[in-house]
């Protein structure tokens, strides 16, 4: 059930802005705006995990970026960690944040302190964990892109479970929400 919001979540977040950031000029699709407001409302009410399933090419990355930027700008989080299945998708996320927040792919496992967005592959999640153990954070958002790859008992699922348990909030994105075997990490 989604709680009824009298003041839009975007307005609530803007009232308590802790850090203004440069945002790309983008008009969100109706589903992106609706889903982002519902997601932020659920996070504000204590829910930790949001699952967003949208067709391939439907705008999941833009939805994820805008939701993450709202959370960062409002002070809900001070770090965004994104797990992806491939280097190509990693590059897409790095480009998505270009011009708004400092993003890094953590070359050789080095995630700099002056960055607010860390993008790593599921296979390299241990580097993210190591870097996170060295950084003070008041809370971070984990975005698990193409989460259908993260079968709980598989290596990729271990990454989502490990980082997901430490995250203040988790945003799970997929254009392929079905699996033929196993259980997806963090989902019951």
């Amino acid at each position: 059930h989604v709680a009824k919001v009298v003041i839009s979540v975007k307005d609530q977040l803007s009232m308590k802005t802790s850090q203004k950031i440069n945002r790309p000029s983008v008009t969100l699709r109706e589903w992106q705006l609706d889903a982002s407001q519902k997601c932020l409302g659920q996070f504000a009410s204590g829910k930790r995990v949001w699952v967003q399933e949208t067709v391939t090419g439907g705008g999941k990355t833009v939805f994820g970026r805008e939701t993450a930027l709202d959370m960062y700008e409002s002070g809900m989080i001070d770090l965004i960690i994104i797990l992806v299945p491939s280097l190509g998708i990693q590059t897409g996320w790095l480009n998505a944040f270009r011009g708004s927040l400092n993003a890094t792919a953590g070359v050789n496992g080095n995630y700099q302190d002056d960055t607010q967005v860390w993008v790593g592959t599921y296979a390299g999640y241990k580097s993210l964990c190591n870097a996170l153990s060295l950084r003070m954070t008041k809370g971070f958002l984990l975005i698990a892109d193409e989460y259908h790859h993260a079968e709980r008992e598989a290596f990729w699922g271990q990454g989502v479970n490990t980082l997901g348990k430490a995250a203040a909030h988790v945003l799970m994105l997929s254009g392929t929400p079905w699996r033929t075997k196993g259980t997806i990490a963090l989902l019951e």
Side-chain angles (χ1 to χ4, degrees):
H1 299 285
V2 177
K4 198 170 197 174
V5 179
V6 176
I7 301 173
S8 79
V9 175
K10 196 140 182 124
D11 289 342
Q12 289 177 32
L13 292 175
S14 67
M15 287 183 226
K16 59 179 184 175
T17 298
S18 66
Q19 192 165 11
K20 197 71 177 152
I21 55 176
N22 185 27
R23 297 183 75 122
S25 178
V26 63
T27 301
L28 294 178
R29 296 173 181 170
E30 187 175 334
W31 81 260
Q32 291 167 321
L33 184 59
D34 183 55
S36 184
Q37 287 185 346
K38 287 178 181 174
C39 172
L40 293 169
Q42 290 293 307
F43 284 169
S45 70
K47 184 176 179 180
R48 290 189 59 248
V49 178
W50 181 270
V51 176
Q52 186 64 47
E53 297 170 345
T54 304
V55 300
T56 301
K60 291 179 297 297
T61 302
V62 171
F63 160 77
R65 178 197 64 213
E66 291 301 305
T67 302
L69 289 175
D70 283 345
M71 294 175 72
Y72 185 86
E73 197 169 36
S74 74
M76 287 176 73
I77 56 168
D78 60 1
L79 178 64
I80 300 159
I81 297 177
I82 305 165
L83 279 177
V84 299
S86 70
L87 295 176
I89 295 173
Q90 181 181 49
T91 300
W93 276 102
L94 290 169
N95 289 337
F97 279 97
R98 183 167 290 143
S100 57
L101 294 176
N102 293 327
T104 183
V107 178
N108 298 320
N110 182 17
Y111 292 91
Q112 300 92 347
D113 285 339
D114 65 343
T115 56
Q116 300 86 30
V117 182
W118 296 353
V119 188
T121 62
Y122 286 109
Y125 86 91
K126 288 187 179 183
S127 293
L128 287 162
C129 292
N130 290 338
L132 190 58
S133 72
L134 302 173
R135 179 169 174 157
M136 299 242 337
T137 179
K138 68 178 181 180
F140 71 92
L141 169 67
L142 172 65
I143 298 176
D145 196 5
E146 302 297 342
Y147 75 81
H148 60 275
H149 290 286
E151 188 175 322
R152 182 175 293 157
E153 302 305 318
F155 185 76
W156 290 6
Q158 293 169 13
V160 172
N161 273 334
T162 301
L163 289 167
K165 288 177 183 173
H169 302 284
V170 181
L171 182 56
M172 299 181 76
L173 307 174
S174 181
T176 314
W178 57 87
R179 294 278 309 172
T180 56
K181 63 178 182 169
T183 304
I184 303 298
L186 287 181
L187 298 181
E188 298 303 324

